[in-house]
């Protein structure tokens, strides 16, 4: 008779903390990279690799640390919402990670836009569309990183 016990990598609360850490560390830089590449007008051709390097050097690296402060509110709320189920021993799903990231990002962006309109600015729908792509990609990248830690499967109790 074989013994098929699966040992958990992390106990339940640590699974939630692991998801929280993955989201808080990875999502803001991913959003900075996506925003930089979406706002750049690529010329293309044979110099595309040099152009990608220039975008990384001029538009990504200087803004990585400030991205942590600007993108942290929606990422924090999405991380809390996404960490709840793994902390209970359930699985983190790709649709759950992306959906929570989009929901929290959209709520914070509408909140920011309301302050812009109150201050006399104009509502900008293009920012919300760029944000939507950012939230989808960052939610997917965070899910992939959490899946590498084994947080995309439900925890099995040791017997």
């Amino acid at each position: 008779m074989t013994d098929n016990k699966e040992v958990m990598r992390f106990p339940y609360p640590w699974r939630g903390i692991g998801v929280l850490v993955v989201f808080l560390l990875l999502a803001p830089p991913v959003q900075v990279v996506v925003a930089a590449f979406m706002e750049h007008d690529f010329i293309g051709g044979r110099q595309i690799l040099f152009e990608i390097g220039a975008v990384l050097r001029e538009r990504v690296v200087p803004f990585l640390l400030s991205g942590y402060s600007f993108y942290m509110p929606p990422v924090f709320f999405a991380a809390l919402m996404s960490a709840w189920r793994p902390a209970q021993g359930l699985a983190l799903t790709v649709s759950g990670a992306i959906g929570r990231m989009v929901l929290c990002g959209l709520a914070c962006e509408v909140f920011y836009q309301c302050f812009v309109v109150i201050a006399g600015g104009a509502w900008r729908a293009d920012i919300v569309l760029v944000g939507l792509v950012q939230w989808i990609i960052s939610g997917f990248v965070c899910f992939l990183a959490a899946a590498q830690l084994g947080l995309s499967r439900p925890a099995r109790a040791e017997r």
Side-chain angles (χ1 to χ4, degrees), residues 87-101:
Q88 295 175 337
L90 302 172
L92 176 68
T93 61
V94 68
S95 61
I98 292 173
R100 290 177 187 109
M101 185 67 82

Side-chain angles (χ1 to χ4, degrees), residues 23-66:
F23 269 79
L24 294 180
L25 287 179
L26 291 182
V30 169
Q31 290 184 356
V32 169
V33 169
V34 171
F37 280 105
M38 286 191 68
E39 292 173 357
H40 183 72
D41 295 326
F42 282 99
I43 298 170
R46 295 173 53 196
Q47 301 294 327
I48 190 72
L49 292 178
F50 294 113
E51 197 169 355
I52 289 172
V55 170
L56 288 173
R57 187 175 49 254
E58 296 167 6
R59 290 190 172 188
V60 173
V61 173
F63 298 109
L64 276 178
L65 290 179
S66 62

Side-chain angles (χ1 to χ4, degrees), residues 5 16 36 40 44 49 54 58 61 73 75 100 103 108 111 117 122 138:
K5 285 194 264 184
H40 183 72
L49 292 178
E58 296 167 6
V61 173
V75 168
R100 290 177 187 109
L103 176 72
C108 287
F111 185 72
V117 170
S138 64

Side-chain angles (χ1 to χ4, degrees), residues 8-20 83 85-92 149-156:
M8 287 191 310
R9 259 194 192 169
F10 305 110
Y12 294 150
W14 288 107
R15 290 172 54 87
I17 291 172
V19 170
L20 192 70
R85 289 178 51 89
Q88 295 175 337
L90 302 172
L92 176 68
L149 292 174
L151 301 171
S152 64
R153 295 183 305 268
R156 292 190 169 69

